[in-house]
Amino acid sequence: MRVVVTGVGVVAAGLAGGAAALRSFLAAPPATSTGRVEDAMLSGLLDGVDTRRTSRVSRLAVAAGRLALDDAGLGDAEAAAFVLGTELGDLHSTIEFADGYLRGGPQGLSPLLFPNTVMNTMASATTIAVATRGPSLTLNVRTVGGELAVARASRTIAAGRAEVALAGGVDERDPLVEEVLGDLGGGAERRGEGATVLVLEAVDHARARGATPLGEIRGAAWRGLAARPNGVGRVVESRAIGAALIEAGIAASAIGWVYGSASGDGPRDAWERALLSRALGREVPVASLAPLLGQHAGLGALRVAAAAWTARSGRWVEPAWDGTPRLTDVAPGPGLVHGIARGGTHVALIIDGPPSDAD
Amino acid sequence: MPRRRAVVVTGLGAISPFGAGVKAFWQGISVGACAIRPITLIDTDGFRSRIAAEVPEAIGGSPRRARADRLALAAAREALDDAGLGAAERRDTAVIVGGVGGGMLEVERWYWARRRGEPAHPVAARATLPASHADVLAWRLGLDGPRETVVAACSSGAASLAMAAELIADGVITTALAGGADALTRVCFMGFNALKLLDPEPCRPFDRERRGMSLGEGAAFVVLEDRDAARARGVPVYAELAGHGMSTDAFHVTAPHPAGDGMVRAMRAALAGARAEAADVAYVNAHGTGTPQNDRIEAQALRTVFGEGRILVSSTKSMIGHTMAAAGSLEALATVLALTNEIVPPTVHLTVPDPDVPFDCVPRTAREASLSAAMSNSFGFGGQNVTLLFRRAA
């Protein structure tokens, strides 16, 4: 079963909307970013029901889910699967819950906060808000949660287990996390926050309802690469990229560009460059969107949406770590979205433009 | 429906409140022992409930690792050894883990100290995430196949088996290590106390006087394989994971749908996936937490799927408490072992049956029973429902 992307919902620093908003953002990317989602912007995306008893990180996910369904023109997603990647979950609520005890003992605990300490709370809030009743999976992994969620959801549709899936990622910045990462030597990473949710459909389902695909996921694979927990590895042979290329039925030489997962974590970024060079057999333009929006779990799904735009338009964004982003031309056609996390979780997605009606 | 490959269970591993190993686990639950006792791992002063089922003995592995990681390693090693998977086969094996608390027990110690203004190095934070379990297992056991950590609240362990089964059935991989792990944590203990969902006494699932759940900890893993690959290796097969169902209530953050709608859909999806009828199932290892609401709604859902009576229903949680992310996989083991041994583990502490639960809940004593198929239910916060259906190996 072929899998197409039919809707995008993005909430990130200075960016909220569907595919059109993302295209506009990428076509004229800002030179700098705070990496934070403005609260006023987020509030404007939600209604009172969404915000009642819902934490901020859950609101990010709910807003992205609603935007994605609107973008896809999909009114009824009841049977859809939902797959959400996250690195940190609702850490803010967990800290607040623990602080309640440390301040006031057992009487200081909030029963309302406790459910938010479980990482599936964002998916829970979103499935309630958008009324999806298929499987709901929250995938926890360092830095590549969005890519992994899209890959798992794509596989679910490709195998005929669902016709529609919502997939993406969400994370929220937290000062304690950034302090601890700094203490542990990982402070160089450019962190951000936000949520991106994609609507994925079986191509026949999309056509039957007259939807216009934004792009196609031609291959999706994920594997582990040997590495110490929290560490980077030495293996540079990527079986994930190989498996995704086989599924897509294309050679490595057909890949013209890559959206990768570089985020300013030097050793991990170097590992990714080595993996890509070996897998693709040559130097291919590689960009990360982390300098624009900051690393967060939603960014992997956003890269998939950006890749669909690049595959169709030949426009490609190469944000510089320090300076103005460059918008350049590449050959339209298939590209690679790639993610590698410390510890070795490794994801590859082959993204192409929308299939023609003759396909 | 696309043709799927058959998925079988070829390895089992567990560390439970009855100690290390599958043998100790089965011995405990088949004799109806209760491992729920006063908590020793964390401070319980001032809380209504102060009991849980802790893993009782020293856990192997480096003390620098989080307790939950060590629980996971102990159970995973046993499962891989049981399946006879060598280093070459492990390289392509997926590792799919259900997690909730991650390394929270150790992080809590650090955070408590930090808040008291004591010197504390945040090294424990490195293992905070539930994803740490999968990374540790992959690194220590040489597993380089697809790697995922699923957080589906109390159904996480069962979801890991369902996700692994899908990858095998769809031909993506031939072998997977799947299961869940959780250590007792302060956050979990305090949270369920705050929700007033914990019974001060050992829990009594399906009893008319039940007053809530008990917590526990542990880990369980299974090796799942493509049936043809298992045959080619010539290894014994415990059971077939013939079907599974995953659904979402989309109703409430903590409460299940009042009619058990999502539970019913998960059970029916498992039956459909196995091409089985309700009449084929003789035993259901229930989610059975012991809270008034869960047990009543689960019974209602079971009645919708199976009708009243006929099936045997029991709750492993009556003996080992609710082990959170490990619950779904420990109970999957209990279900597989019930099939292979033809013994249904009991629901202990069940003395006054609830008239709203119109099933034989196997009170206090295990029961011999001829079983060809059995089901395991797991439900979680967020309305997450997972059902696994096991069939006796052909």
Side-chain angles (χ1 to χ4, degrees):
Chain A
M1 198 75 71
R2 296 175 68 172
V3 182
V4 292
V5 181
T6 57
V8 182
V10 186
V11 183
L15 170 62
L22 178 60
R23 280 195 299 269
S24 299
F25 182 87
L26 294 173
T32 59
S33 169
T34 63
R36 290 190 183 279
V37 174
E38 299 80 6
D39 286 341
M41 181 180 81
L42 179 59
S43 298
L45 299 169
L46 300 165
D47 60 30
V49 175
D50 292 333
T51 55
R52 197 172 55 217
R53 294 184 181 178
T54 307
S55 68
R56 184 169 177 276
V57 67
S58 288
R59 289 176 200 169
L60 291 169
V62 168
R66 286 195 189 283
L67 288 167
L69 285 177
D70 287 348
D71 198 47
L74 197 59
D76 175 9
E78 181 171 338
F82 186 62
V83 190
L84 191 69
T86 185
E87 179 172 5
L88 303 171
D90 191 351
L91 188 62
H92 187 81
S93 290
T94 306
I95 292 169
E96 196 178 341
F97 180 75
D99 284 349
Y101 172 75
L102 293 169
R103 276 194 306 267
Q107 306 309 316
L109 291 165
S110 164
L112 293 178
L113 279 176
F114 173 58
N116 296 351
T117 69
V118 186
M119 279 195 178
N120 72 334
T121 187
M122 299 89 77
S124 168
T126 310
T127 57
I128 292 169
V130 302
T132 60
R133 293 185 170 82
S136 171
L137 302 173
T138 295
L139 303 182
N140 175 232
V141 62
R142 292 189 65 167
T143 61
V144 296
E147 295 93 327
L148 188 60
V150 174
R152 168 55 82 162
S154 177
R155 167 59 48 200
T156 298
I157 294 173
R161 294 184 180 279
E163 291 185 308
V164 182
L166 277 67
V170 64
D171 267 318
E172 179 183 31
R173 289 185 74 169
D174 186 276
L176 180 62
V177 169
E178 288 167 26
E179 180 192 323
V180 168
L181 284 172
D183 289 347
L184 294 173
E189 196 163 48
R190 188 164 300 184
R191 291 241 157 201
E193 65 177 8
T196 298
V197 173
L198 308 182
V199 176
L200 310 184
E201 290 184 66
V203 68
D204 292 346
H205 187 274
R207 283 176 173 153
R209 69 180 189 89
T212 304
L214 304 166
E216 180 177 3
I217 300 176
R218 293 181 56 180
W222 61 101
R223 298 287 187 273
L225 282 171
R228 287 183 181 280
N230 301 300
V232 299
R234 296 176 183 166
V235 177
V236 294
E237 181 190 349
S238 167
R239 294 191 298 158
I241 296 174
L245 287 169
I246 289 170
E247 186 186 355
I250 62 175
S253 58
I255 297 295
W257 42 269
V258 178
Y259 282 105
S261 59
S263 62
D265 175 347
R268 184 175 64 100
D269 295 355
W271 191 19
E272 179 169 52
R273 284 195 297 275
L275 282 163
L276 291 169
S277 293
R278 176 69 68 89
L280 300 178
R282 67 197 198 287
E283 292 302 317
V284 174
V286 180
S288 163
L289 298 175
L292 275 183
L293 295 161
Q295 172 60 41
H296 62 279
L299 197 61
L302 192 149
R303 287 188 189 106
V304 172
W309 169 71
T310 298
R312 181 161 60 175
S313 67
R315 303 294 282 160
W316 183 73
V317 186
E318 186 188 12
W321 288 102
D322 296 299
T324 307
R326 285 195 305 146
L327 193 66
T328 57
D329 291 327
V330 293
L336 172 66
V337 173
H338 181 262
I340 178 76
R342 278 181 175 262
T345 299
H346 178 216
V347 190
L349 294 130
I350 308 297
I351 308 298
D352 209 343
S356 70
D357 289 342
D359 285 346
Chain B
M1 182 184 289
R3 185 168 172 76
R4 312 284 189 201
R5 304 190 66 80
V7 180
V8 295
V9 181
T10 58
L12 303 176
I15 183 163
S16 74
F18 292 119
V22 172
K23 190 174 173 184
F25 175 60
W26 178 245
Q27 171 69 17
I29 63 171
S30 62
V31 302
C34 177
I36 303 166
R37 298 185 176 85
I39 290 172
T40 63
L41 280 171
I42 56 178
D43 180 14
T44 62
D45 282 352
F47 288 97
R48 176 171 170 266
S49 170
R50 303 174 67 177
I51 56 174
E54 297 174 348
V55 173
E57 58 201 59
I59 305 164
S62 166
R64 293 172 61 190
R65 290 199 194 285
R67 181 176 176 86
D69 283 346
R70 286 183 285 146
L71 292 171
L73 263 174
R77 277 204 175 101
E78 184 185 17
L80 291 170
D81 290 347
D82 189 37
L85 283 179
E89 292 148 331
R90 292 182 186 192
R91 184 162 184 260
D92 292 323
T93 297
V95 54
I96 303 184
V97 181
V100 172
M104 186 61 75
L105 179 66
E106 289 74 15
V107 172
E108 288 162 349
R109 283 192 199 117
W110 163 73
Y111 188 69
W112 265 226
R114 174 191 159 99
R115 283 293 310 267
R116 287 194 297 262
E118 298 168 1
H121 192 275
V123 66
R126 284 190 168 152
T128 307
L129 304 180
S132 168
H133 310 325
D135 287 351
V136 167
L137 295 183
W139 173 247
R140 295 295 299 159
L141 304 174
L143 307 167
D144 291 342
R147 190 188 308 171
E148 291 171 278
T149 298
V150 59
V151 183
C154 303
S155 60
S156 301
S160 73
L161 269 69
M163 292 166 68
E166 289 187 356
L167 294 182
I168 295 169
D170 297 341
V172 177
I173 52 169
T174 58
T175 313
L177 174 75
D182 247 330
L184 194 64
T185 72
R186 294 166 185 81
V187 165
C188 180
F189 170 76
M190 297 187 310
F192 281 108
N193 259 300
L195 287 168
K196 297 184 168 52
L197 289 177
L198 296 183
D199 191 332
E201 303 296 323
C203 63
R204 289 170 285 174
F206 304 124
D207 193 288
R208 194 178 63 189
E209 306 300 326
R210 65 187 181 273
R211 288 197 290 166
M213 54 195 268
S214 300
L215 294 178
E217 63 172 3
F221 283 85
V222 301
V223 173
L224 299 177
E225 281 191 80
D226 179 304
R227 184 173 60 197
D228 292 344
R231 281 179 178 158
R233 290 202 307 123
V235 292
V237 168
Y238 285 100
E240 178 186 4
L241 177 44
H244 67 270
M246 294 193 281
S247 71
T248 308
D249 287 354
F251 171 73
H252 190 272
V253 173
T254 54
H257 186 279
D261 166 70
M263 300 175 186
V264 169
R265 285 186 288 115
M267 285 189 267
R268 286 184 170 156
L271 287 167
R275 293 184 167 83
E277 303 292 333
D280 297 332
V281 175
Y283 167 56
V284 176
N285 187 297
H287 187 57
T289 59
T291 65
Q293 188 179 40
N294 173 84
D295 291 4
R296 178 175 47 78
I297 294 175
E298 184 173 13
Q300 188 174 334
L302 287 166
R303 187 166 43 199
T304 302
V305 175
F306 294 102
E308 292 192 9
R310 196 183 65 77
I311 56 168
L312 299 174
V313 176
S314 71
S315 168
T316 307
K317 293 183 179 76
S318 65
M319 297 174 273
I320 60 169
H322 192 329
T323 56
M324 297 291 116
S329 53
L330 276 165
E331 290 160 19
L333 255 70
T335 309
V336 168
L337 292 167
L339 271 174
T340 56
N341 292 291
E342 299 204 310
I343 293 173
V344 172
T347 307
V348 302
H349 311 304
L350 171 51
T351 54
V352 185
D354 184 340
D356 285 340
V357 182
F359 299 101
D360 179 345
C361 292
V362 197
R364 297 182 299 283
T365 309
R367 186 94 48 87
E368 289 187 8
S370 177
L371 307 172
S372 58
M375 195 176 256
S376 179
N377 278 338
S378 296
F379 311 128
F381 276 2
Q384 302 220 230
N385 312 293
V386 182
T387 296
L388 305 172
L389 196 159
F390 294 96
R391 190 181 275 141
R392 279 179 74 90

PDB file of all heavy atoms in Angstrom, chain A residues 52-79:
ATOM      1  N   ARG A  52      -8.616  23.338  29.074  1.00  0.00           N
ATOM      2  CA  ARG A  52      -9.027  22.999  30.431  1.00  0.00           C
ATOM      3  C   ARG A  52      -8.241  21.777  30.916  1.00  0.00           C
ATOM      4  O   ARG A  52      -8.260  20.725  30.284  1.00  0.00           O
ATOM      5  CB  ARG A  52     -10.532  22.713  30.448  1.00  0.00           C
ATOM      6  CG  ARG A  52     -11.126  22.753  31.840  1.00  0.00           C
ATOM      7  CD  ARG A  52     -12.635  22.650  31.787  1.00  0.00           C
ATOM      8  NE  ARG A  52     -13.072  21.471  31.053  1.00  0.00           N
ATOM      9  CZ  ARG A  52     -14.136  21.426  30.260  1.00  0.00           C
ATOM     10  NH1 ARG A  52     -14.859  22.491  30.061  1.00  0.00           N
ATOM     11  NH2 ARG A  52     -14.471  20.300  29.649  1.00  0.00           N
ATOM     12  N   ARG A  53      -7.575  21.885  31.991  1.00  0.00           N
ATOM     13  CA  ARG A  53      -6.816  20.794  32.616  1.00  0.00           C
ATOM     14  C   ARG A  53      -5.760  20.197  31.687  1.00  0.00           C
ATOM     15  O   ARG A  53      -5.377  19.042  31.840  1.00  0.00           O
ATOM     16  CB  ARG A  53      -7.747  19.669  33.079  1.00  0.00           C
ATOM     17  CG  ARG A  53      -8.681  20.073  34.184  1.00  0.00           C
ATOM     18  CD  ARG A  53      -9.477  18.885  34.638  1.00  0.00           C
ATOM     19  NE  ARG A  53     -10.409  19.226  35.688  1.00  0.00           N
ATOM     20  CZ  ARG A  53     -11.253  18.379  36.237  1.00  0.00           C
ATOM     21  NH1 ARG A  53     -11.276  17.119  35.856  1.00  0.00           N
ATOM     22  NH2 ARG A  53     -12.071  18.746  37.188  1.00  0.00           N
ATOM     23  N   THR A  54      -5.323  20.934  30.698  1.00  0.00           N
ATOM     24  CA  THR A  54      -4.339  20.406  29.758  1.00  0.00           C
ATOM     25  C   THR A  54      -3.041  21.172  29.930  1.00  0.00           C
ATOM     26  O   THR A  54      -3.036  22.396  29.926  1.00  0.00           O
ATOM     27  CB  THR A  54      -4.846  20.561  28.310  1.00  0.00           C
ATOM     28  OG1 THR A  54      -6.130  19.975  28.226  1.00  0.00           O
ATOM     29  CG2 THR A  54      -3.922  19.869  27.336  1.00  0.00           C
ATOM     30  N   SER A  55      -1.948  20.452  30.037  1.00  0.00           N
ATOM     31  CA  SER A  55      -0.663  21.113  30.228  1.00  0.00           C
ATOM     32  C   SER A  55      -0.191  21.740  28.923  1.00  0.00           C
ATOM     33  O   SER A  55      -0.699  21.453  27.835  1.00  0.00           O
ATOM     34  CB  SER A  55       0.366  20.098  30.715  1.00  0.00           C
ATOM     35  OG  SER A  55       0.642  19.181  29.684  1.00  0.00           O
ATOM     36  N   ARG A  56       0.834  22.572  29.026  1.00  0.00           N
ATOM     37  CA  ARG A  56       1.296  23.309  27.850  1.00  0.00           C
ATOM     38  C   ARG A  56       1.798  22.371  26.754  1.00  0.00           C
ATOM     39  O   ARG A  56       1.504  22.565  25.570  1.00  0.00           O
ATOM     40  CB  ARG A  56       2.386  24.293  28.268  1.00  0.00           C
ATOM     41  CG  ARG A  56       2.867  25.171  27.137  1.00  0.00           C
ATOM     42  CD  ARG A  56       3.750  26.297  27.667  1.00  0.00           C
ATOM     43  NE  ARG A  56       4.287  27.108  26.588  1.00  0.00           N
ATOM     44  CZ  ARG A  56       5.378  26.792  25.908  1.00  0.00           C
ATOM     45  NH1 ARG A  56       6.057  25.700  26.203  1.00  0.00           N
ATOM     46  NH2 ARG A  56       5.809  27.581  24.937  1.00  0.00           N
ATOM     47  N   VAL A  57       2.558  21.343  27.128  1.00  0.00           N
ATOM     48  CA  VAL A  57       3.096  20.468  26.075  1.00  0.00           C
ATOM     49  C   VAL A  57       1.964  19.687  25.411  1.00  0.00           C
ATOM     50  O   VAL A  57       1.997  19.422  24.202  1.00  0.00           O
ATOM     51  CB  VAL A  57       4.204  19.543  26.640  1.00  0.00           C
ATOM     52  CG1 VAL A  57       3.657  18.527  27.623  1.00  0.00           C
ATOM     53  CG2 VAL A  57       4.949  18.846  25.505  1.00  0.00           C
ATOM     54  N   SER A  58       0.940  19.335  26.171  1.00  0.00           N
ATOM     55  CA  SER A  58      -0.212  18.678  25.553  1.00  0.00           C
ATOM     56  C   SER A  58      -0.945  19.632  24.628  1.00  0.00           C
ATOM     57  O   SER A  58      -1.450  19.237  23.575  1.00  0.00           O
ATOM     58  CB  SER A  58      -1.168  18.148  26.627  1.00  0.00           C
ATOM     59  OG  SER A  58      -0.609  17.024  27.273  1.00  0.00           O
ATOM     60  N   ARG A  59      -0.985  20.906  25.014  1.00  0.00           N
ATOM     61  CA  ARG A  59      -1.642  21.888  24.136  1.00  0.00           C
ATOM     62  C   ARG A  59      -0.909  22.006  22.800  1.00  0.00           C
ATOM     63  O   ARG A  59      -1.532  22.179  21.747  1.00  0.00           O
ATOM     64  CB  ARG A  59      -1.690  23.255  24.813  1.00  0.00           C
ATOM     65  CG  ARG A  59      -2.659  23.310  25.977  1.00  0.00           C
ATOM     66  CD  ARG A  59      -2.604  24.666  26.669  1.00  0.00           C
ATOM     67  NE  ARG A  59      -3.160  24.555  28.009  1.00  0.00           N
ATOM     68  CZ  ARG A  59      -3.065  25.489  28.929  1.00  0.00           C
ATOM     69  NH1 ARG A  59      -2.419  26.612  28.668  1.00  0.00           N
ATOM     70  NH2 ARG A  59      -3.603  25.312  30.113  1.00  0.00           N
ATOM     71  N   LEU A  60       0.408  21.931  22.854  1.00  0.00           N
ATOM     72  CA  LEU A  60       1.170  21.959  21.597  1.00  0.00           C
ATOM     73  C   LEU A  60       0.738  20.813  20.687  1.00  0.00           C
ATOM     74  O   LEU A  60       0.510  20.997  19.481  1.00  0.00           O
ATOM     75  CB  LEU A  60       2.671  21.853  21.888  1.00  0.00           C
ATOM     76  CG  LEU A  60       3.342  23.048  22.569  1.00  0.00           C
ATOM     77  CD1 LEU A  60       4.751  22.674  23.030  1.00  0.00           C
ATOM     78  CD2 LEU A  60       3.403  24.244  21.628  1.00  0.00           C
ATOM     79  N   ALA A  61       0.613  19.627  21.267  1.00  0.00           N
ATOM     80  CA  ALA A  61       0.235  18.455  20.464  1.00  0.00           C
ATOM     81  C   ALA A  61      -1.197  18.574  19.958  1.00  0.00           C
ATOM     82  O   ALA A  61      -1.489  18.257  18.790  1.00  0.00           O
ATOM     83  CB  ALA A  61       0.408  17.182  21.296  1.00  0.00           C
ATOM     84  N   VAL A  62      -2.095  19.014  20.825  1.00  0.00           N
ATOM     85  CA  VAL A  62      -3.499  19.161  20.418  1.00  0.00           C
ATOM     86  C   VAL A  62      -3.608  20.163  19.268  1.00  0.00           C
ATOM     87  O   VAL A  62      -4.297  19.924  18.264  1.00  0.00           O
ATOM     88  CB  VAL A  62      -4.365  19.607  21.615  1.00  0.00           C
ATOM     89  CG1 VAL A  62      -5.749  20.053  21.153  1.00  0.00           C
ATOM     90  CG2 VAL A  62      -4.483  18.470  22.632  1.00  0.00           C
ATOM     91  N   ALA A  63      -2.911  21.292  19.395  1.00  0.00           N
ATOM     92  CA  ALA A  63      -2.989  22.316  18.346  1.00  0.00           C
ATOM     93  C   ALA A  63      -2.467  21.776  17.023  1.00  0.00           C
ATOM     94  O   ALA A  63      -3.081  21.978  15.960  1.00  0.00           O
ATOM     95  CB  ALA A  63      -2.192  23.549  18.776  1.00  0.00           C
ATOM     96  N   ALA A  64      -1.342  21.065  17.055  1.00  0.00           N
ATOM     97  CA  ALA A  64      -0.784  20.521  15.817  1.00  0.00           C
ATOM     98  C   ALA A  64      -1.713  19.472  15.215  1.00  0.00           C
ATOM     99  O   ALA A  64      -1.883  19.394  13.991  1.00  0.00           O
ATOM    100  CB  ALA A  64       0.596  19.925  16.089  1.00  0.00           C
ATOM    101  N   GLY A  65      -2.322  18.652  16.073  1.00  0.00           N
ATOM    102  CA  GLY A  65      -3.255  17.643  15.574  1.00  0.00           C
ATOM    103  C   GLY A  65      -4.452  18.263  14.883  1.00  0.00           C
ATOM    104  O   GLY A  65      -4.867  17.831  13.798  1.00  0.00           O
ATOM    105  N   ARG A  66      -5.013  19.295  15.496  1.00  0.00           N
ATOM    106  CA  ARG A  66      -6.166  19.974  14.878  1.00  0.00           C
ATOM    107  C   ARG A  66      -5.777  20.626  13.552  1.00  0.00           C
ATOM    108  O   ARG A  66      -6.509  20.543  12.563  1.00  0.00           O
ATOM    109  CB  ARG A  66      -6.709  21.040  15.834  1.00  0.00           C
ATOM    110  CG  ARG A  66      -7.483  20.504  17.008  1.00  0.00           C
ATOM    111  CD  ARG A  66      -8.271  21.662  17.645  1.00  0.00           C
ATOM    112  NE  ARG A  66      -8.887  21.277  18.896  1.00  0.00           N
ATOM    113  CZ  ARG A  66      -9.992  20.546  18.997  1.00  0.00           C
ATOM    114  NH1 ARG A  66     -10.586  20.107  17.892  1.00  0.00           N
ATOM    115  NH2 ARG A  66     -10.496  20.258  20.184  1.00  0.00           N
ATOM    116  N   LEU A  67      -4.622  21.307  13.546  1.00  0.00           N
ATOM    117  CA  LEU A  67      -4.163  21.954  12.307  1.00  0.00           C
ATOM    118  C   LEU A  67      -3.951  20.928  11.194  1.00  0.00           C
ATOM    119  O   LEU A  67      -4.283  21.182  10.025  1.00  0.00           O
ATOM    120  CB  LEU A  67      -2.859  22.716  12.576  1.00  0.00           C
ATOM    121  CG  LEU A  67      -2.986  23.994  13.409  1.00  0.00           C
ATOM    122  CD1 LEU A  67      -1.603  24.468  13.866  1.00  0.00           C
ATOM    123  CD2 LEU A  67      -3.682  25.096  12.609  1.00  0.00           C
ATOM    124  N   ALA A  68      -3.417  19.769  11.544  1.00  0.00           N
ATOM    125  CA  ALA A  68      -3.142  18.746  10.528  1.00  0.00           C
ATOM    126  C   ALA A  68      -4.437  18.222   9.910  1.00  0.00           C
ATOM    127  O   ALA A  68      -4.532  18.053   8.686  1.00  0.00           O
ATOM    128  CB  ALA A  68      -2.346  17.601  11.155  1.00  0.00           C
ATOM    129  N   LEU A  69      -5.425  17.972  10.751  1.00  0.00           N
ATOM    130  CA  LEU A  69      -6.698  17.472  10.213  1.00  0.00           C
ATOM    131  C   LEU A  69      -7.373  18.524   9.341  1.00  0.00           C
ATOM    132  O   LEU A  69      -7.940  18.206   8.286  1.00  0.00           O
ATOM    133  CB  LEU A  69      -7.624  17.044  11.352  1.00  0.00           C
ATOM    134  CG  LEU A  69      -7.266  15.721  12.028  1.00  0.00           C
ATOM    135  CD1 LEU A  69      -8.213  15.447  13.193  1.00  0.00           C
ATOM    136  CD2 LEU A  69      -7.327  14.558  11.039  1.00  0.00           C
ATOM    137  N   ASP A  70      -7.315  19.777   9.771  1.00  0.00           N
ATOM    138  CA  ASP A  70      -7.873  20.865   8.947  1.00  0.00           C
ATOM    139  C   ASP A  70      -7.145  20.935   7.608  1.00  0.00           C
ATOM    140  O   ASP A  70      -7.759  21.093   6.553  1.00  0.00           O
ATOM    141  CB  ASP A  70      -7.739  22.216   9.669  1.00  0.00           C
ATOM    142  CG  ASP A  70      -8.723  22.341  10.818  1.00  0.00           C
ATOM    143  OD1 ASP A  70      -9.644  21.504  10.906  1.00  0.00           O
ATOM    144  OD2 ASP A  70      -8.558  23.279  11.631  1.00  0.00           O
ATOM    145  N   ASP A  71      -5.822  20.836   7.671  1.00  0.00           N
ATOM    146  CA  ASP A  71      -5.017  20.938   6.457  1.00  0.00           C
ATOM    147  C   ASP A  71      -5.352  19.809   5.478  1.00  0.00           C
ATOM    148  O   ASP A  71      -5.364  20.013   4.261  1.00  0.00           O
ATOM    149  CB  ASP A  71      -3.535  20.876   6.841  1.00  0.00           C
ATOM    150  CG  ASP A  71      -2.618  21.391   5.745  1.00  0.00           C
ATOM    151  OD1 ASP A  71      -2.904  22.475   5.200  1.00  0.00           O
ATOM    152  OD2 ASP A  71      -1.633  20.703   5.428  1.00  0.00           O
ATOM    153  N   ALA A  72      -5.622  18.625   6.031  1.00  0.00           N
ATOM    154  CA  ALA A  72      -5.946  17.476   5.177  1.00  0.00           C
ATOM    155  C   ALA A  72      -7.407  17.480   4.741  1.00  0.00           C
ATOM    156  O   ALA A  72      -7.795  16.666   3.897  1.00  0.00           O
ATOM    157  CB  ALA A  72      -5.638  16.179   5.934  1.00  0.00           C
ATOM    158  N   GLY A  73      -8.199  18.370   5.319  1.00  0.00           N
ATOM    159  CA  GLY A  73      -9.626  18.376   5.010  1.00  0.00           C
ATOM    160  C   GLY A  73     -10.317  17.099   5.446  1.00  0.00           C
ATOM    161  O   GLY A  73     -11.259  16.624   4.817  1.00  0.00           O
ATOM    162  N   LEU A  74      -9.831  16.550   6.535  1.00  0.00           N
ATOM    163  CA  LEU A  74     -10.352  15.272   7.018  1.00  0.00           C
ATOM    164  C   LEU A  74     -11.241  15.534   8.237  1.00  0.00           C
ATOM    165  O   LEU A  74     -10.746  15.816   9.326  1.00  0.00           O
ATOM    166  CB  LEU A  74      -9.176  14.361   7.399  1.00  0.00           C
ATOM    167  CG  LEU A  74      -9.436  12.872   7.562  1.00  0.00           C
ATOM    168  CD1 LEU A  74      -9.993  12.255   6.286  1.00  0.00           C
ATOM    169  CD2 LEU A  74      -8.145  12.162   7.941  1.00  0.00           C
ATOM    170  N   GLY A  75     -12.538  15.428   8.038  1.00  0.00           N
ATOM    171  CA  GLY A  75     -13.453  15.720   9.129  1.00  0.00           C
ATOM    172  C   GLY A  75     -13.571  14.588  10.118  1.00  0.00           C
ATOM    173  O   GLY A  75     -13.703  14.810  11.323  1.00  0.00           O
ATOM    174  N   ASP A  76     -13.517  13.367   9.629  1.00  0.00           N
ATOM    175  CA  ASP A  76     -13.714  12.206  10.495  1.00  0.00           C
ATOM    176  C   ASP A  76     -12.450  11.349  10.462  1.00  0.00           C
ATOM    177  O   ASP A  76     -12.114  10.756   9.443  1.00  0.00           O
ATOM    178  CB  ASP A  76     -14.916  11.399  10.009  1.00  0.00           C
ATOM    179  CG  ASP A  76     -15.107  10.119  10.802  1.00  0.00           C
ATOM    180  OD1 ASP A  76     -14.425   9.939  11.835  1.00  0.00           O
ATOM    181  OD2 ASP A  76     -15.938   9.284  10.390  1.00  0.00           O
ATOM    182  N   ALA A  77     -11.769  11.310  11.585  1.00  0.00           N
ATOM    183  CA  ALA A  77     -10.550  10.495  11.665  1.00  0.00           C
ATOM    184  C   ALA A  77     -10.712   9.414  12.732  1.00  0.00           C
ATOM    185  O   ALA A  77      -9.735   8.967  13.317  1.00  0.00           O
ATOM    186  CB  ALA A  77      -9.348  11.377  11.980  1.00  0.00           C
ATOM    187  N   GLU A  78     -11.928   8.972  12.976  1.00  0.00           N
ATOM    188  CA  GLU A  78     -12.183   8.066  14.098  1.00  0.00           C
ATOM    189  C   GLU A  78     -11.355   6.781  14.031  1.00  0.00           C
ATOM    190  O   GLU A  78     -10.868   6.298  15.038  1.00  0.00           O
ATOM    191  CB  GLU A  78     -13.670   7.724  14.169  1.00  0.00           C
ATOM    192  CG  GLU A  78     -13.981   6.796  15.336  1.00  0.00           C
ATOM    193  CD  GLU A  78     -15.454   6.603  15.581  1.00  0.00           C
ATOM    194  OE1 GLU A  78     -16.244   7.467  15.165  1.00  0.00           O
ATOM    195  OE2 GLU A  78     -15.800   5.587  16.202  1.00  0.00           O
ATOM    196  N   ALA A  79     -11.197   6.231  12.842  1.00  0.00           N
ATOM    197  CA  ALA A  79     -10.483   4.953  12.737  1.00  0.00           C
ATOM    198  C   ALA A  79      -8.974   5.124  12.666  1.00  0.00           C
ATOM    199  O   ALA A  79      -8.236   4.139  12.616  1.00  0.00           O
ATOM    200  CB  ALA A  79     -10.975   4.198  11.511  1.00  0.00           C
TER     201      ALA A  79
END
